[in-house]
């Protein structure tokens, strides 16, 4: 792993997460890179989190004993060494032949919780068997409820401890890079029943077929329905409005993820970091609140924690790590952000997560 961690003084190529993207871009087929890196429409939302996060300033306190900064926390009762989780993303086989098996090994090596996408290249059971780390299962808003329930049952049997229901993906966005590239998504092992006819088509055709398997009619009663049928807690992912977070919690969600799907769904949507305070206020402690979208630095993570998030999820950086170095690359990326968070907390005079408060940030 030595050539993949920034503590090696000789390695000046992989110093931050952007370097992992650069490395992955060199290694990947350009259309595969575009599929992972790209967003919807004009990709305005893809760029927004960076600007929003950079505009938030940190207000450090000094002369605090920060000999030890404790990053450990829990998410839905599961202990994790840091408030950094792996977001669900499909098709890891594009980035590395071992796909999610390597992602799972890299995440587990660092104790990081992995949310496995139902669009994974490998069956969810094989991913579970590949490494003994904490894991949740992503489930899409499938029109075929029996198929959705079947996924959940398989997740329960394979030791997944929560269901991450993605609520911002009813309609396939227009992802222009994919259309131009005539991108073909490989078949998703876990969705062969519902999507055999739809997951492996290119461009606009893929969009239309996706639309056929996702449930445009779904309302919060979908969460109710699922909550009644599984003992696993439900995480509603893809919320950008306080009012929706309230409805999600009322419908039975134990946690919400403030997310715009990494800028891959509704273009010009508000940046998740901008929506976070409203969601935190609306939830009022009744559920856990996480956030994702554009987090690339430890200071970014600290800002989210200061604004009330319990944890931050990383999407693309994990795939870049996977492409750059398999399981070791995944672990290196996760450890790099964790290390940056620890340093940022120390420089802000914050020896524990409990010490982090809104006082730490100045929001424009
Ligand atoms: C290639 C790729 C595939 C994704 N697949 C899913 C998915 O299957 N389900 C889901 O809820 N989100 C999916 N996402 C969105 C991520 O979970 C996450 O919200 C987003 O990537 C976070 O932004 P970041 O990439 O800037 O960290 C995907 C993202 C990417 C880049």
């Amino acid at each position: 792993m030595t050539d993949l961690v920034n503590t090696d003084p000789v390695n000046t190529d992989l110093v931050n997460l952007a370097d992992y993207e650069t490395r992955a871009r060199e290694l990947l087929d350009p259309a595969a890179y575009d599929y992972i890196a790209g967003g919807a429409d004009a990709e305005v939302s893809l760029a927004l989190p960076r600007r929003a996060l950079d505009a938030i300033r940190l207000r450090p306190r000094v002369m605090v004993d920060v000999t030890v900064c404790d990053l450990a926390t829990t998410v839905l009762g599961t202990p994790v060494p840091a408030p950094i989780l792996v977001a669900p993303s499909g098709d890891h086989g594009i980035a590395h032949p071992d796909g999610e098996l390597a992602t799972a090994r890299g995440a587990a090596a660092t104790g990081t919780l992995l949310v496995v996408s139902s669009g994974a290249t490998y069956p969810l059971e094989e991913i579970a068997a590949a490494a003994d780390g904490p894991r949740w299962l992503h489930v899409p808003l499938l029109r075929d409820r029996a198929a959705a329930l079947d996924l959940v049952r398989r997740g329960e049997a394979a030791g997944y401890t929560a269901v991450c229901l993605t609520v911002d993906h009813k309609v396939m966005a227009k992802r222009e890079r994919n259309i131009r590239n005539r991108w073909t998504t490989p078949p998703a092992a876990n969705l062969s029943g519902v999507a055999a006819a739809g997951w492996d088509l290119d461009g606009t055709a893929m969009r239309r077929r996706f639309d056929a398997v996702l449930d445009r009619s779904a309302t919060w009663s979908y969460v109710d329905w699922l909550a009644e049928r599984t003992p696993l807690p439900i995480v509603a992912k893809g919320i950008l409005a306080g009012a929706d977070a309230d409805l999600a919690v009322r419908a039975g969600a134990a946690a919400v993820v403030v997310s715009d799907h990494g800028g891959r769904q509704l273009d010009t949507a508000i940046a998740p970091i901008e929506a976070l305070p409203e969601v935190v206020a609306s939830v009022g402690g009744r559920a856990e609140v996480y956030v994702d979208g554009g987090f690339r630095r430890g200071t970014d993570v600290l800002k989210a924690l200061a604004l009330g998030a319990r944890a931050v999820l990383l999407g693309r950086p994990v795939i870049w790590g996977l492409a750059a170095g398999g399981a070791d690359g995944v672990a290196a990326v996760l450890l790099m952000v964790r290390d940056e968070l620890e340093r940022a907390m120390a420089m802000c005079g914050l020896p524990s997560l409990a010490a982090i408060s809104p006082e730490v940030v100045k929001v424009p």
Side-chain angles (χ1 to χ4, degrees):
M1 170 136 133
T2 43
D3 70 327
L4 290 170
V5 281
N6 72 337
T7 46
D8 178 353
V10 177
N11 183 358
T12 53
D13 292 339
L14 295 168
V15 174
N16 58 34
L17 263 48
D19 291 341
Y20 278 91
E21 176 168 358
T22 305
R23 173 67 62 88
R25 188 173 194 165
E26 288 162 5
L27 295 168
L28 289 172
D29 165 69
Y33 170 80
D34 270 351
Y35 167 69
I36 299 162
D41 295 5
E43 301 190 336
V44 173
S45 284
L46 186 65
L48 275 185
R50 202 55 273 148
R51 272 188 266 148
L53 282 161
D54 286 344
I56 299 172
R57 306 282 186 251
L58 289 168
R59 191 186 275 120
R61 296 292 304 275
V62 294
M63 298 301 281
V64 177
D65 181 352
V66 289
T67 313
V68 177
C69 287
D70 184 6
L71 272 58
T73 185
T74 60
V75 281
L76 294 178
T78 299
V80 283
I84 298 165
L85 319 174
V86 178
S89 60
D91 311 303
H92 286 195
I94 295 166
H96 191 279
D98 294 339
E100 292 81 8
L101 307 179
T103 312
R105 289 185 193 115
T110 66
T112 306
L113 186 142
L114 168 67
V115 189
V116 172
S117 170
S118 59
T121 307
Y122 285 87
L124 61 93
E125 293 83 1
E126 284 183 33
I127 301 167
D132 199 16
R135 55 188 176 270
W136 296 347
L137 181 65
H138 154 260
V139 173
L141 284 175
L142 294 177
R143 187 184 293 231
D144 180 346
R145 299 237 183 157
L149 207 52
D150 181 56
L151 266 180
V152 172
R153 294 281 176 261
R154 287 172 56 195
E156 289 167 2
Y160 290 76
T161 58
V163 172
C164 178
L165 186 72
T166 296
V167 295
D168 64 359
H169 194 209
K170 286 177 159 190
V171 175
M172 188 67 188
K174 189 176 166 203
R175 298 186 189 155
E176 297 180 9
R177 297 197 209 193
N178 294 350
I179 298 170
R180 288 187 206 287
N181 291 331
R182 296 194 63 74
W183 170 251
T184 301
T185 307
N190 298 295
L191 293 166
S192 51
V194 269
W199 245 253
D200 56 346
L201 291 161
D202 63 8
T204 2
M206 182 169 86
R207 185 155 52 90
R208 277 197 223 107
R209 299 296 179 92
F210 249 115
D211 287 349
V213 295
L214 298 171
D215 186 358
R216 272 197 190 223
S217 73
T219 65
W220 292 111
S221 66
Y222 202 112
V223 175
D224 267 322
W225 172 83
L226 197 53
E228 278 171 16
R229 283 163 180 78
T230 177
L232 300 183
I234 295 174
V235 180
K237 173 174 177 284
I239 285 174
L240 291 170
D244 273 346
D246 177 57
L247 291 168
V249 175
R250 286 173 195 268
V256 299
V257 184
V258 183
S259 171
D260 72 343
H261 217 102
R264 295 164 79 82
Q265 283 298 106
L266 175 67
D267 197 25
T268 76
I270 182 172
I273 188 71
E274 293 172 323
L276 178 63
E278 176 186 322
V279 170
V280 168
S282 172
V283 168
R286 292 171 295 154
E288 296 187 354
V289 178
Y290 321 124
V291 63
D292 75 18
F295 289 86
R296 301 292 181 265
R297 297 267 179 191
T299 46
D300 297 339
V301 178
L302 177 54
K303 289 169 185 178
L305 301 177
L307 292 172
R310 191 171 180 89
V312 166
L313 290 80
L314 298 181
R316 293 179 187 84
V318 174
I319 312 178
W320 305 142
L322 177 66
D328 285 350
V330 169
V333 159
L334 293 169
L335 291 178
M336 185 178 281
V337 189
R338 192 189 297 176
D339 172 67
E340 289 177 357
L341 173 63
E342 198 271 343
R343 287 173 204 247
M345 285 172 59
M347 286 187 274
C348 285
L350 301 163
S352 68
L353 297 176
I356 301 174
S357 77
E359 291 292 298
V360 179
V361 287
K362 180 173 177 291
V363 181

